[in-house]
Amino acid sequence: MKKNSIQIFVWIVAVTLLMFESNAAVAQAKKRTVQKNTTAPAQQPANNAANPYLQNNNTNTNSNNPYLSSGNNANTPVANSNANTNATKPQTGIGCREYVNMPSAEGGLFDTVKVSLRPDDPTRNYEMVRDKTPLAYDFIREDDAVFKERVWSEIDIREKMNQVFGYASNEDNGNQRLISIIVQAVMNGDVTAFDASDDRFTTPLNKADFMKTFGGGIDTVQRKDIDGQPTGICEIRPRQIVADSIYKFRIKEDYIFDKEASRLVRRIIGIAPMMKRYLSDGTTVGDDLYPLFWVYYPDIRATFAKVQVYNPKNNGARMSWDDLFESHMYSSYIVKTTMDNFKNQYFKDYIKDPLFRLLAGEKIKEKIFNYEQDLWAY
C-alpha cells in the first residue's frame, strides 16, 4: 500500500512538470509573435518608397506640384494642405506617377491674345485710342436732383442691335467681346470684381474666387496609349470657359432730372455678366440666368474708353465702349425698378408671364419719359 502511494505521488509531480513546460512554450511562442508584428512596420516605408503608386503623406519629400489633392475628385484638383506631399506621387486611386502641364486650347475665356509684331493697320493712329480718357461726369447737387429713379435692366446680345457685344475678333488689346474685355480688366488688376450676392459692391473677389464664379479651374486628365490603356501620365489643363455662353448683362443705373441743367441724366452704376448655374456634373439648374459678379461702372470707364466698338458699316469710324454706354446705343429691357416697388422685388417674382414682364418694363420707361416731357410748357 505504501508502494502504491509513492507511485501516485511521482505521477502527480510528473504531470505538474509537463503542464509548466507546456505553458512556458506557449508564452515563448506568443512573445516571438508580438516581436514579429512590432518590427514589421519598420520595413513598410521602404516598401512604399519602392512602389510609385503608393502615397505617404508623412514623408518629407518635394512639394513643388500644387495640383495634388487629398481625397478630391481627379477632375477638380486643388492644393494639398500637407506641405510634405511628394510632387511625383499621385493621389490615391488615380494611378498617375507623373504630371505634365499642358497649354490651354484656343477659344477659352481666359486665353492670352498674342500681340502683332508689325502694324496691323498703318492708316490708324492707335496712340489716340490708347491715350483716350473718359469724359468726366457733370456734378449734380443733391438739391438739383428733383427726380430720381433706379432701374435694373438686362442686355441680351443675341438681339440684332446688340450683336456688337459678341464681336469675336482678336486685336492687340485682346478679344473684342464685351465679356472678354471685362475679364481681362479684372485679371490685369485694372478693376475690382465684387461678389454677386448683392449689387452694392460689398465683397471684393480675388483672382482665384473670380475664376471660380465661372466654374473655372484646372482639369487633370490621364493620358492613354493607342489601346486605350492608362499610361500613368496625367495632363493638367486649364478648364475652358466658352465666351459665347455668356450672352446677357445686367445693368444697374439711375435716371436723374437735373433742374440746374434742365435735362434728364442717366448714370450707370454697375455691370454684371449673367450665366446659368451648373452642378458638378455639368447639368444646368433651371433656365434662369444669374449674375456672376458685379463691376463698378465708374471704375471700368477708363478701360472702355480705350477699346473701340466694332462698326459693321464702316471699320474706320468706330466709337469707344464708353461712348456706346453713355449714348445708350443698345437695346435693353427693365427687370426691376424702385418705382412702386415696396417689397424690392424683380418683375419675375410677382409677374409669371414673360410677355407681361416686358410690358411692365416698357411702362416704367414711359413714365420716366412722360415725367421729363410734362415739365415743359409748349
Side-chain angles (χ1 to χ4, degrees):
M1 184 65 180
K2 185 177 181 180
K3 183 178 181 180
N4 293 337
S5 299
I6 294 173
Q7 291 177 351
I8 292 173
F9 177 76
V10 173
W11 181 78
I12 292 174
V13 172
V15 172
T16 303
L17 292 175
L18 289 175
M19 291 177 63
F20 276 114
E21 291 179 359
S22 177
N23 292 337
V26 172
Q28 189 68 19
K30 288 183 178 181
K31 184 177 180 180
R32 287 196 298 267
T33 303
V34 171
Q35 291 178 351
K36 183 178 180 180
N37 292 336
T38 54
T39 56
Q43 301 174 357
Q44 189 66 24
N47 296 332
N48 287 344
N51 190 344
Y53 293 98
L54 294 178
Q55 178 179 356
N56 187 358
N57 291 335
N58 298 323
T59 305
N60 295 328
T61 52
N62 187 12
S63 60
N64 294 327
N65 192 342
Y67 303 115
L68 293 178
S69 60
S70 56
N72 290 280
N73 192 320
N75 292 328
T76 56
V78 296
N80 195 341
S81 59
N82 191 348
N84 297 326
T85 304
N86 190 346
T88 61
K89 292 181 180 181
Q91 51 186 345
T92 305
I94 290 185
C96 299
R97 60 176 180 271
E98 182 180 354
Y99 289 88
V100 179
N101 292 323
M102 303 295 294
S104 63
E106 296 294 334
L109 186 61
F110 297 98
D111 291 342
T112 302
V113 178
K114 296 181 180 180
V115 179
S116 176
L117 301 180
R118 296 293 184 272
D120 184 59
D121 188 359
T123 63
R124 182 179 297 176
N125 186 2
Y126 284 96
E127 296 298 329
M128 295 180 61
V129 178
R130 297 190 185 99
D131 297 338
K132 187 176 180 180
T133 56
L135 185 64
Y137 287 140
D138 293 334
F139 176 74
I140 301 177
R141 295 175 59 249
E142 184 178 359
D143 293 339
D144 293 335
V146 296
F147 174 82
K148 176 180 169 182
E149 287 294 338
R150 175 161 294 180
V151 299
W152 288 257
S153 57
E154 292 182 2
I155 303 172
D156 192 336
I157 69 175
R158 296 173 298 180
E159 296 184 24
K160 186 175 182 179
M161 187 175 180
N162 300 330
Q163 289 183 353
V164 294
F165 285 77
Y167 179 51
S169 175
N170 292 333
E171 297 183 3
D172 284 354
N173 55 356
N175 190 273
Q176 298 305 294
R177 295 183 180 90
L178 179 64
I179 181 60
S180 299
I181 297 171
I182 296 176
V183 168
Q184 184 179 8
V186 175
M187 297 300 292
N188 292 340
D190 298 332
V191 295
T192 301
F194 293 87
D195 188 79
S197 57
D198 60 67
D199 54 13
R200 297 185 299 108
F201 316 101
T202 57
T203 308
L205 301 175
N206 54 35
K207 290 185 178 180
D209 294 335
F210 172 72
M211 295 182 65
K212 290 180 182 178
T213 60
F214 296 91
I218 296 172
D219 287 332
T220 304
V221 181
Q222 190 175 76
R223 186 181 296 177
K224 297 182 179 180
D225 57 17
I226 193 173
D227 297 327
Q229 300 299 325
T231 60
I233 300 177
C234 287
E235 298 177 353
I236 300 173
R237 297 177 180 273
R239 189 173 303 165
Q240 292 298 310
I241 307 299
V242 181
D244 292 331
S245 63
I246 302 173
Y247 53 86
K248 277 191 178 182
F249 296 86
R250 180 168 292 175
I251 307 293
K252 178 183 178 182
E253 54 191 348
D254 286 340
Y255 285 89
I256 307 170
F257 186 83
D258 184 7
K259 72 175 184 179
E260 190 273 334
S262 298
R263 66 190 181 99
L264 188 68
V265 180
R266 175 177 164 273
R267 297 285 171 85
I268 301 178
I269 308 300
I271 300 178
M274 303 181 68
M275 192 176 182
K276 292 183 179 180
R277 289 181 177 176
Y278 294 88
L279 298 176
S280 58
D281 57 356
T283 58
T284 59
V285 181
D287 296 329
D288 294 335
L289 279 73
Y290 301 89
L292 297 175
F293 58 89
W294 280 95
V295 173
Y296 189 57
Y297 180 74
D299 291 344
I300 203 172
R301 284 191 69 199
T303 301
F304 282 168
K306 294 178 174 61
V307 184
Q308 293 185 336
V309 182
Y310 167 69
N311 187 345
K313 305 300 182 181
N314 185 359
N315 198 43
R318 291 185 173 187
M319 67 171 63
S320 67
W321 279 101
D322 182 62
D323 296 334
L324 181 139
F325 279 107
E326 294 301 321
S327 302
H328 204 290
M329 295 186 65
Y330 56 86
S331 175
S332 63
Y333 53 92
I334 297 177
V335 296
K336 181 184 175 182
T337 178
T338 55
M339 185 179 295
D340 297 330
N341 189 6
F342 300 100
K343 295 184 179 181
N344 193 29
Q345 293 178 318
Y346 284 87
F347 290 158
K348 67 178 182 179
D349 295 332
Y350 58 92
I351 302 177
K352 302 304 178 182
D353 194 327
L355 179 59
F356 288 164
R357 295 177 203 162
L358 294 176
L359 294 177
E362 293 301 320
K363 288 182 180 179
I364 298 299
K365 292 181 181 180
E366 185 179 0
K367 289 181 180 179
I368 296 175
F369 176 79
N370 290 337
Y371 176 86
E372 181 187 18
Q373 297 300 315
D374 292 343
L375 293 174
W376 299 91
Y378 299 97

